[in-house]
Amino acid sequence: GWTSMAAIPQAGTMAPGIMTGTATGADTLTFTNAVTSIAASWCLIWFSGAASPSSVTIGATKARKASPAETTTITCPPITVTGACLVLAIAGDRTEASTPTWAGSAPACWVPQDSAAGTITTVSVATQQTTDSATQTATCTYPNPQANNGIGWQIGIPGVA
């Protein structure tokens, strides 16, 4: 089964969530949005070899408008992990402005998602391998300035090499 791991605070009109689970063979995931008047975007990240979902470390979030306020960046605060972990820095942004393709450096993923409401939700994911340490602060720079819809955090996943 799949479990909601943490209540991520809403940032503007964005309400992120984190779910973890263990797949056994073929697995079907169905996501529903309880509020039909808003557009929903999803980013699924699937790993093999991860430890149990309960051992995932979820760090603090940083909303774009939280102090210090940001307009073109989203900060993913550092976390401290124990053992060998794959760490994901995840940043989400939503804008009505045109969003170009990713111009950053690897390893990273830039996933613009057009929604029916005319806004674009962009999820950026950067990775880092680490063992028994604090991660670095990750900062994602977006091409369009805005002050509200953006949030970032880091997740440590033990056992993923």
Side-chain angles (χ1 to χ4, degrees):
W2 293 80
T3 305
S4 180
M5 286 293 292
I8 305 294
Q10 187 165 329
T13 60
M14 297 181 67
I18 300 171
M19 297 187 72
T20 62
T22 303
T24 54
D27 209 353
T28 300
L29 300 176
T30 303
F31 297 98
T32 57
N33 187 3
V35 182
T36 58
S37 62
I38 63 171
S41 298
W42 309 96
C43 178
L44 176 65
I45 304 168
W46 194 285
F47 296 100
S48 176
S52 70
S54 63
S55 62
V56 171
T57 300
I58 300 173
T61 59
K62 165 67 172 74
R64 182 175 262 158
K65 65 182 181 179
S67 182
E70 303 170 88
T71 57
T72 58
T73 58
I74 295 175
T75 298
C76 304
I79 61 173
T80 299
V81 298
T82 303
C85 283
L86 174 67
V87 177
L88 303 177
I90 301 173
D93 169 88
R94 182 160 58 222
T95 181
E96 293 181 357
S98 175
T99 302
T101 57
W102 173 257
S105 59
C109 173
W110 174 264
V111 189
Q113 303 175 35
D114 289 317
S115 73
T119 60
I120 299 173
T121 300
T122 304
V123 178
S124 302
V125 181
T127 63
Q128 172 187 355
Q129 289 288 150
T130 190
T131 302
D132 293 329
S133 66
T135 64
Q136 297 177 343
T137 297
T139 302
C140 183
T141 302
Y142 287 87
N144 302 304
Q146 64 137 319
N148 195 25
N149 295 318
I151 193 164
W153 66 94
Q154 292 190 40
I155 302 172
I157 307 166
V160 178

